[in-house]
Amino acid sequence: EQIAGLELPFVALLCRHGHRVHKRTLALHRELARDPTFFTQLLCWLYRRRDGVDDPEQKTLSPEQKKNLADIAYHTLEGWNMVPGCRDGGKVDSGQFTPWAEDAFLRAAEVSRKEAAESHFGGLLARFARWRSWDDWLPECVLSFLDRPENGSLRERFELGVRNARGVTTRGAYYGGAQERQLAARYRELATRYRITYPRVSVLLSATAENYEQDARRQDDEAAVG
């Protein structure tokens, strides 16, 4: 906790490089993955309430102080790649992950920032999924939380994050959409695998596959025109 407090003012410098490929894990991010209250606090620094009401503590801050806190929160959340409960080897402890997620979303809803929480947490889970093998894609506790009926908006943020986590692609001028078709096939396989156990996640994966199939057709058309 002390080291995290020391890192906090310098997080923009510490997270400027490497945070998208898991090259650095700060004490700050370990604390964030441990304490959902800290997650909610960062959301309060970075975003206004959805209902438009000002937080009492924000009224005592100068514009410069608000900007500094927002910058700190932005870089902390953007550099965060440690899933709550995650252990070495990619295993996730359900006894830590699920209570953290439930508490975080409850607190975010209480301060009228649930959409912001879904955006950042969905992106975190998407980046986590990006680096895992297809055979061991996501732990059951993560899939179970995503599949909850009340988490439809979180699934949408996760699906967008999955596509964004892919990053920039390169290909030959006339290569077409082979890369996208391969990804579409992978997500079709996952959708089939989870059709019974996690049906809502399966629907999400089918939609992801359809989006990649559309991208593939667009790439094919561009190659043909070329």
Side-chain angles (χ1 to χ4, degrees), residues 15 17 20-21 41 48 79 111 123 182 193:
C15 282
H17 301 289
R20 288 297 187 195
V21 290
Q41 182 64 70
R48 291 181 58 84
V111 295
Q182 184 179 22
R193 185 190 309 172

PDB file of all heavy atoms in Angstrom, residues 15 17 20-21 41 48 79 111 123 182 193:
ATOM      1  N   CYS A  15       3.574   4.220 -16.513  1.00  0.00           N
ATOM      2  CA  CYS A  15       2.704   3.429 -17.382  1.00  0.00           C
ATOM      3  C   CYS A  15       2.782   3.850 -18.846  1.00  0.00           C
ATOM      4  O   CYS A  15       2.012   3.376 -19.656  1.00  0.00           O
ATOM      5  CB  CYS A  15       1.252   3.548 -16.925  1.00  0.00           C
ATOM      6  SG  CYS A  15       0.882   2.532 -15.497  1.00  0.00           S
ATOM      7  N   HIS A  17       4.903   3.218 -21.179  1.00  0.00           N
ATOM      8  CA  HIS A  17       5.354   2.206 -22.125  1.00  0.00           C
ATOM      9  C   HIS A  17       5.048   0.813 -21.579  1.00  0.00           C
ATOM     10  O   HIS A  17       5.187   0.560 -20.390  1.00  0.00           O
ATOM     11  CB  HIS A  17       6.859   2.321 -22.370  1.00  0.00           C
ATOM     12  CG  HIS A  17       7.275   3.661 -22.909  1.00  0.00           C
ATOM     13  ND1 HIS A  17       6.983   4.071 -24.186  1.00  0.00           N
ATOM     14  CD2 HIS A  17       7.953   4.680 -22.324  1.00  0.00           C
ATOM     15  CE1 HIS A  17       7.469   5.281 -24.374  1.00  0.00           C
ATOM     16  NE2 HIS A  17       8.052   5.683 -23.267  1.00  0.00           N
ATOM     17  N   ARG A  20       0.298  -2.342 -22.462  1.00  0.00           N
ATOM     18  CA  ARG A  20      -0.634  -3.151 -23.231  1.00  0.00           C
ATOM     19  C   ARG A  20      -0.160  -4.597 -23.391  1.00  0.00           C
ATOM     20  O   ARG A  20      -0.917  -5.454 -23.783  1.00  0.00           O
ATOM     21  CB  ARG A  20      -0.835  -2.535 -24.617  1.00  0.00           C
ATOM     22  CG  ARG A  20      -1.658  -1.248 -24.610  1.00  0.00           C
ATOM     23  CD  ARG A  20      -3.059  -1.511 -24.122  1.00  0.00           C
ATOM     24  NE  ARG A  20      -3.888  -0.324 -24.278  1.00  0.00           N
ATOM     25  CZ  ARG A  20      -5.047  -0.152 -23.698  1.00  0.00           C
ATOM     26  NH1 ARG A  20      -5.527  -1.091 -22.910  1.00  0.00           N
ATOM     27  NH2 ARG A  20      -5.750   0.932 -23.871  1.00  0.00           N
ATOM     28  N   VAL A  21       1.101  -4.868 -23.127  1.00  0.00           N
ATOM     29  CA  VAL A  21       1.605  -6.227 -23.323  1.00  0.00           C
ATOM     30  C   VAL A  21       2.146  -6.815 -22.019  1.00  0.00           C
ATOM     31  O   VAL A  21       3.018  -7.641 -22.015  1.00  0.00           O
ATOM     32  CB  VAL A  21       2.691  -6.264 -24.428  1.00  0.00           C
ATOM     33  CG1 VAL A  21       2.074  -6.019 -25.781  1.00  0.00           C
ATOM     34  CG2 VAL A  21       3.786  -5.235 -24.168  1.00  0.00           C
ATOM     35  N   GLN A  41     -12.964   4.819  -6.615  1.00  0.00           N
ATOM     36  CA  GLN A  41     -12.401   6.149  -6.391  1.00  0.00           C
ATOM     37  C   GLN A  41     -11.785   6.720  -7.670  1.00  0.00           C
ATOM     38  O   GLN A  41     -11.955   7.894  -7.987  1.00  0.00           O
ATOM     39  CB  GLN A  41     -11.341   6.081  -5.288  1.00  0.00           C
ATOM     40  CG  GLN A  41     -10.712   7.432  -4.948  1.00  0.00           C
ATOM     41  CD  GLN A  41     -11.729   8.403  -4.386  1.00  0.00           C
ATOM     42  OE1 GLN A  41     -12.206   8.222  -3.264  1.00  0.00           O
ATOM     43  NE2 GLN A  41     -12.078   9.426  -5.136  1.00  0.00           N
ATOM     44  N   ARG A  48     -17.596  12.327 -14.442  1.00  0.00           N
ATOM     45  CA  ARG A  48     -18.704  12.946 -13.720  1.00  0.00           C
ATOM     46  C   ARG A  48     -19.805  11.909 -13.507  1.00  0.00           C
ATOM     47  O   ARG A  48     -19.892  10.916 -14.233  1.00  0.00           O
ATOM     48  CB  ARG A  48     -19.257  14.133 -14.506  1.00  0.00           C
ATOM     49  CG  ARG A  48     -18.301  15.313 -14.574  1.00  0.00           C
ATOM     50  CD  ARG A  48     -18.939  16.463 -15.340  1.00  0.00           C
ATOM     51  NE  ARG A  48     -20.179  16.903 -14.742  1.00  0.00           N
ATOM     52  CZ  ARG A  48     -20.251  17.775 -13.733  1.00  0.00           C
ATOM     53  NH1 ARG A  48     -19.134  18.294 -13.224  1.00  0.00           N
ATOM     54  NH2 ARG A  48     -21.420  18.130 -13.232  1.00  0.00           N
ATOM     55  N   GLY A  79      -3.300   1.618 -17.729  1.00  0.00           N
ATOM     56  CA  GLY A  79      -2.172   0.716 -17.546  1.00  0.00           C
ATOM     57  C   GLY A  79      -2.490  -0.543 -16.775  1.00  0.00           C
ATOM     58  O   GLY A  79      -1.617  -1.392 -16.553  1.00  0.00           O
ATOM     59  N   VAL A 111     -22.461   5.435  -6.953  1.00  0.00           N
ATOM     60  CA  VAL A 111     -21.933   6.769  -7.260  1.00  0.00           C
ATOM     61  C   VAL A 111     -22.243   7.165  -8.704  1.00  0.00           C
ATOM     62  O   VAL A 111     -21.631   8.075  -9.249  1.00  0.00           O
ATOM     63  CB  VAL A 111     -20.419   6.857  -6.984  1.00  0.00           C
ATOM     64  CG1 VAL A 111     -20.140   6.697  -5.497  1.00  0.00           C
ATOM     65  CG2 VAL A 111     -19.646   5.827  -7.794  1.00  0.00           C
ATOM     66  N   GLY A 123     -12.869  -3.857 -20.813  1.00  0.00           N
ATOM     67  CA  GLY A 123     -11.609  -3.766 -21.541  1.00  0.00           C
ATOM     68  C   GLY A 123     -10.516  -4.584 -20.895  1.00  0.00           C
ATOM     69  O   GLY A 123      -9.701  -5.216 -21.583  1.00  0.00           O
ATOM     70  N   GLN A 182      -9.870 -16.547 -40.197  1.00  0.00           N
ATOM     71  CA  GLN A 182      -9.302 -17.442 -39.200  1.00  0.00           C
ATOM     72  C   GLN A 182      -9.803 -17.086 -37.800  1.00  0.00           C
ATOM     73  O   GLN A 182     -10.180 -17.972 -37.018  1.00  0.00           O
ATOM     74  CB  GLN A 182      -7.777 -17.372 -39.242  1.00  0.00           C
ATOM     75  CG  GLN A 182      -7.099 -18.354 -38.296  1.00  0.00           C
ATOM     76  CD  GLN A 182      -5.588 -18.277 -38.393  1.00  0.00           C
ATOM     77  OE1 GLN A 182      -5.019 -17.285 -38.823  1.00  0.00           O
ATOM     78  NE2 GLN A 182      -4.922 -19.352 -37.996  1.00  0.00           N
ATOM     79  N   ARG A 193     -18.691 -24.091 -28.139  1.00  0.00           N
ATOM     80  CA  ARG A 193     -18.253 -24.701 -26.890  1.00  0.00           C
ATOM     81  C   ARG A 193     -19.092 -24.232 -25.704  1.00  0.00           C
ATOM     82  O   ARG A 193     -19.391 -25.012 -24.783  1.00  0.00           O
ATOM     83  CB  ARG A 193     -16.778 -24.356 -26.650  1.00  0.00           C
ATOM     84  CG  ARG A 193     -16.189 -25.032 -25.431  1.00  0.00           C
ATOM     85  CD  ARG A 193     -14.806 -24.469 -25.102  1.00  0.00           C
ATOM     86  NE  ARG A 193     -13.913 -24.467 -26.261  1.00  0.00           N
ATOM     87  CZ  ARG A 193     -12.713 -23.895 -26.261  1.00  0.00           C
ATOM     88  NH1 ARG A 193     -12.278 -23.260 -25.170  1.00  0.00           N
ATOM     89  NH2 ARG A 193     -11.966 -23.929 -27.342  1.00  0.00           N
TER      90      ARG A 193
END
